[in-house]
């Protein structure tokens, strides 16, 4: 790439790495995820590019992906330090293994660097190659270097002073052995165990309670063997759900950083390393499949269908208007079907119909609430996924209609002969209908007021009014048995 030489006579330029040092993330991983989100079939092209070298891989990806440098998670303490040094007249150099296109965009945004050195289509500027390039520019021990990982040890071996970012004790010892004087250490508070667990979205595991519907509807919840099998399928869905959330977070990094709440998610904010998601996502899928296979091949098939739909939703379907809502509703319904198969009972048409209408309504609530929230951020031009603000009224009408259709299906079920065979006091079941009508209307009212910041089911389990209504409905059903 074209670079501008530093003014002659200036000593000890400060050279800064980008990935993991100036920013808390890795642009290669982010750009691969962004590419796969746009072009899923590129998954099969990546190995071909890699055979020609990491530099070629980075260049091909950079040609296809747009980077928004304004939203990257910068290390503010280090950035303040660089600005202070720049104000003193010290030359600041960006030297990174990321592709030159991305490096130039970051440099243009920060307006801080006197020189930018980065990978091009033929040279991957990291490790020994970076060291050689810097020595060629500034001479042995002619520069200070800020880095964050073991690959930077080669550069520190030729640096005058070392600025170490977020190191572990071993890295600090290794830096000292290179002969470079450690000038500064910038440490962020490391992520806690609760933050790692939080990335798995355990609160969303509550949605998997839906697998209990069949055993509850069939009045078999006092059978210990069947309860154990239901617990196994619950754990299997939890594993696959968490894997899906990790994959979704990787694909949605750029979009999440535009969102007022989602920008605080652990990967979008840079609090957790992307490597955690890359390792945990496949491990959780394998564990979930093993658990489902313990039950039956059919249970494994339903789980794989659930995960495939989740993956398709993350890659493409969530940006297809209306289809995204139907997929979300189907994911809820598949949990119920999975719970039924675990106890060798296929859910009744009443239960499947009721769940499809109810969860379609909740999916519409989710999209409507996102639009209302984004209206407060972007005004009249707000968008959520592929929905425009002008779609809000249509979403509300469709969603409320589906919610009331669920109540109608429930009423028809109560009036049928099936309920009389299962419930000795079947007339009591009619009290569920007004409670459900109230709850559906309440959720839509909260969303309309812009007060629903979470998935509707997660919101319901944390909202006092919703909890009371759900408990009243459960108590009514138990009383009717």
């Amino acid at each position: 790439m074209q670079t501008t030489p530093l003014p002659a006579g200036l000593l000890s330029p400060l050279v800064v790495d980008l990935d993991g040092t100036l920013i808390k993330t890795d642009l290669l991983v982010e750009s691969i995820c962004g590419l796969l989100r746009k072009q899923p079939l590129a998954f099969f092209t990546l190995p071909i590019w890699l055979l020609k070298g990491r530099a070629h891989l980075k260049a091909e990806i950079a040609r296809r992906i747009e980077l928004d440098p304004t939203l990257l998670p910068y290390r503010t303490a280090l950035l303040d330090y660089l600005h202070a040094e720049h104000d003193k007249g010290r030359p600041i150099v960006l030297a990174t293994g990321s592709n030159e296109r991305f490096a130039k965009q970051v440099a243009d945004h920060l307006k801080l660097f006197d020189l930018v050195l980065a990978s091009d289509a033929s040279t991957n500027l990291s490790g020994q190659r970076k060291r050689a390039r810097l020595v060629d520019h500034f001479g042995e021990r002619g520069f200070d270097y800020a880095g964050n990982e073991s690959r930077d040890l080669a550069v520190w071996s030729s640096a005058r002073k070392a600025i170490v970012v977020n190191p572990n004790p071993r890295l600090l010892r290794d830096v000292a052995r290179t002969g470079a004087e450690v000038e500064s250490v910038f440490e962020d508070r490391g992520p806690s165990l609760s933050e790692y667990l939080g990335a798995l979205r355990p609160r969303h595991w509550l949605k998997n309670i839906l697998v209990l519907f069949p055993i509850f509807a069939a009045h078999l919840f006092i059978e210990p063997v069947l309860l154990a099998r239901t617990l196994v399928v619950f754990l299997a869905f939890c594993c696959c759900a968490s894997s899906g959330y990790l994959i979704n977070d990787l694909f949605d990094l750029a979009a999440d950083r535009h969102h007022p709440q989602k920008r605080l998610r652990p990967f979008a904010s840079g609090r957790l390393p992307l490597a955690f998601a890359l390792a945990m996502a496949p491990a959780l899928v394998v564990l979930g499949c093993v658990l489902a296979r313990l039950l039956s091949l059919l249970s494994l098939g339903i789980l794989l269908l659930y995960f495939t739909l989740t993956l398709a939703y993350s890659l493409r379907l969530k940006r297809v208007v209306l289809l995204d809502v139907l997929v979300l509703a189907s994911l809820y319904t598949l949990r119920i079907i999975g719970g039924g198969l675990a106890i060798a009972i296929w859910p009744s048409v009443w239960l499947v119909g009721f769940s499809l209408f109810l969860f379609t309504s909740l999916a519409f609530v989710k999209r409507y609430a996102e639009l209302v929230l984004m209206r407060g951020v972007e005004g009249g031009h707000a968008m959520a996924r592929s929905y425009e603000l002008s779609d809000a009224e249509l979403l509300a009408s469709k969603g409320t209609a589906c919610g009331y259709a669920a109540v109608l299906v429930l009423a028809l079920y109560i009036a049928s002969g099936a309920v009389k065979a299962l419930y000795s006091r079947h007339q009591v079941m009619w009290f569920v209908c007004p409670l459900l009508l109230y709850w559906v209307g309440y959720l839509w009212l909260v969303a309309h007021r812009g007060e629903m910041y979470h998935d509707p089911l997660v919101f319901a389990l944390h909202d006092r009014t919703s909890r009371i209504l759900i408990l009243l409905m459960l108590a009514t059903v138990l009383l009717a048995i």
Side-chain angles (χ1 to χ4, degrees):
M1 68 182 293
Q2 294 291 332
T3 58
T4 303
L6 295 176
L10 293 178
L11 300 175
S12 302
L14 176 54
V15 182
V16 186
D17 181 38
L18 180 60
D19 296 313
T21 302
L22 184 60
I23 59 176
K24 301 176 184 179
T25 188
D26 187 308
L27 289 184
L28 177 59
V29 177
E30 287 207 13
S31 58
I32 289 175
C33 293
L35 176 64
L36 292 178
R37 186 188 66 176
K38 290 174 59 179
Q39 304 173 21
L41 294 180
F43 177 82
F44 302 102
T45 312
L46 292 174
I48 299 174
W49 293 339
L50 185 58
L51 286 174
K52 298 181 181 179
R54 289 175 65 89
H56 181 78
L57 172 70
K58 294 176 181 179
E60 290 294 334
I61 294 172
R63 286 178 49 230
R64 294 165 171 81
I65 293 298
E66 293 297 324
L67 174 72
D68 188 347
T70 65
L71 298 175
L72 292 174
Y74 294 96
R75 296 192 188 274
T76 54
L78 177 62
L79 201 54
D80 291 342
Y81 171 76
L82 295 178
H83 278 292
E85 294 298 304
H86 184 265
D87 291 342
K88 295 176 184 177
R90 186 178 189 183
I92 309 295
V93 178
L94 180 64
T96 174
S98 290
N99 183 263
E100 57 189 1
R101 182 167 178 262
F102 292 158
K104 185 67 166 60
Q105 289 175 329
V106 170
D108 289 344
H109 166 61
L110 294 178
K111 296 179 171 44
L112 178 65
F113 300 104
D114 301 283
L115 178 65
V116 177
L117 304 174
S119 298
D120 54 29
S122 58
T123 303
N124 183 41
L125 197 68
S126 64
Q128 290 291 349
R129 291 189 184 91
K130 185 187 289 189
R131 184 200 67 79
R133 181 78 64 85
L134 292 174
V135 170
D136 183 57
H137 272 77
F138 310 117
E140 192 75 21
R141 304 294 179 186
F143 60 93
D144 298 343
Y145 181 72
N148 73 296
E149 60 180 347
S150 58
R151 278 186 296 184
D152 294 316
L153 290 170
V155 184
W156 277 314
S157 67
S158 293
R160 185 177 70 99
K161 293 184 178 181
I163 293 91
V164 191
V165 176
N166 217 29
N168 54 49
R170 179 179 178 180
L171 181 61
L172 282 176
R173 290 194 300 268
D174 291 343
V175 172
R177 293 192 190 103
T178 64
E181 176 189 346
V182 178
E183 179 184 88
S184 303
V185 176
F186 290 87
E187 290 191 80
D188 290 338
R189 182 182 65 83
S192 63
L193 178 61
S194 64
E195 287 176 305
Y196 279 104
L197 291 176
L200 304 180
R201 313 270 189 93
R203 63 182 181 182
H204 286 267
W205 294 348
L206 294 172
K207 299 176 189 177
N208 297 323
I209 291 177
L210 294 173
V211 301
L212 294 172
F213 269 38
I215 195 173
F216 187 80
H219 303 172
L220 297 173
F221 44 83
I222 58 173
E223 297 290 336
V225 174
L226 297 183
L227 274 176
R229 292 177 65 87
T230 303
L231 177 60
V232 171
V233 79
F234 171 80
L235 294 175
F237 272 98
C238 287
C239 289
C240 282
S242 289
S243 177
Y245 285 126
L246 290 172
I247 294 171
N248 182 73
D249 283 352
L250 288 177
F251 288 153
D252 268 6
L253 288 168
D256 286 350
R257 288 171 185 153
H258 278 284
H259 195 277
Q261 275 79 43
K262 294 179 181 179
R263 63 185 178 84
L264 302 177
R265 285 178 173 175
F267 299 110
S269 65
R271 286 290 303 147
L272 291 184
L274 301 181
F276 174 73
L278 293 174
M280 286 299 295
L284 287 169
V285 171
V286 171
L287 178 57
C289 289
V290 169
L291 290 172
R293 182 63 185 88
L294 292 175
L295 300 174
S296 69
L297 275 175
L298 198 51
S299 292
L300 175 60
I302 289 294
L303 186 72
L304 288 175
L305 176 59
Y306 167 84
F307 182 72
T308 302
L309 272 179
T310 300
L311 191 60
Y313 175 79
S314 296
L315 284 170
R316 183 74 65 184
L317 299 183
K318 66 182 174 185
R319 289 179 292 280
V320 181
V321 293
L322 299 183
L323 181 59
D324 64 327
V325 171
L326 295 177
V327 171
L328 280 176
S330 299
L331 291 174
Y332 288 125
T333 305
L334 280 175
R335 290 173 168 103
I336 295 176
I337 294 174
L341 293 178
I343 59 173
I345 293 178
W346 190 265
S348 69
V349 292
W350 294 110
L351 183 56
V352 173
F354 170 78
S355 63
L356 275 175
F357 281 117
L358 179 61
F359 296 130
T360 300
S361 178
L362 296 182
F364 274 120
V365 168
K366 181 181 176 72
R367 288 292 176 259
Y368 179 82
E370 289 173 349
L371 269 178
V372 173
L373 288 175
M374 292 307 295
R375 180 178 60 191
V377 177
E378 299 177 354
H381 301 288
M383 291 189 67
R385 304 296 183 191
S386 297
Y387 294 95
E388 301 175 0
L389 189 59
S390 58
D391 297 328
E393 185 178 345
L394 180 64
L395 294 180
S397 62
K398 287 180 177 294
T400 50
C402 287
Y404 296 145
V407 181
L408 177 60
V409 171
L410 177 62
L412 293 174
Y413 168 68
I414 294 171
S416 72
V419 76
K420 296 177 182 178
L422 284 171
Y423 298 89
S424 60
R425 292 180 289 274
H426 60 272
Q427 298 90 346
V428 176
M429 288 287 290
W430 285 105
F431 288 102
V432 177
C433 291
L435 292 171
L436 184 58
L437 276 171
Y438 183 91
W439 185 55
V440 169
Y442 172 75
L443 289 180
W444 277 99
L445 180 63
V446 171
H448 180 71
R449 291 177 175 176
E451 298 172 358
M452 186 172 291
Y453 303 106
H454 304 291
D455 180 280
L457 274 183
V458 176
F459 168 83
L461 294 169
H462 290 82
D463 174 69
R464 182 173 177 270
T465 300
S466 293
R467 288 201 304 266
I468 292 172
L469 288 168
I470 292 171
L471 288 174
L472 285 174
M473 284 187 275
L474 287 174
T476 301
V477 172
L478 289 173
L479 184 63
I481 294 177

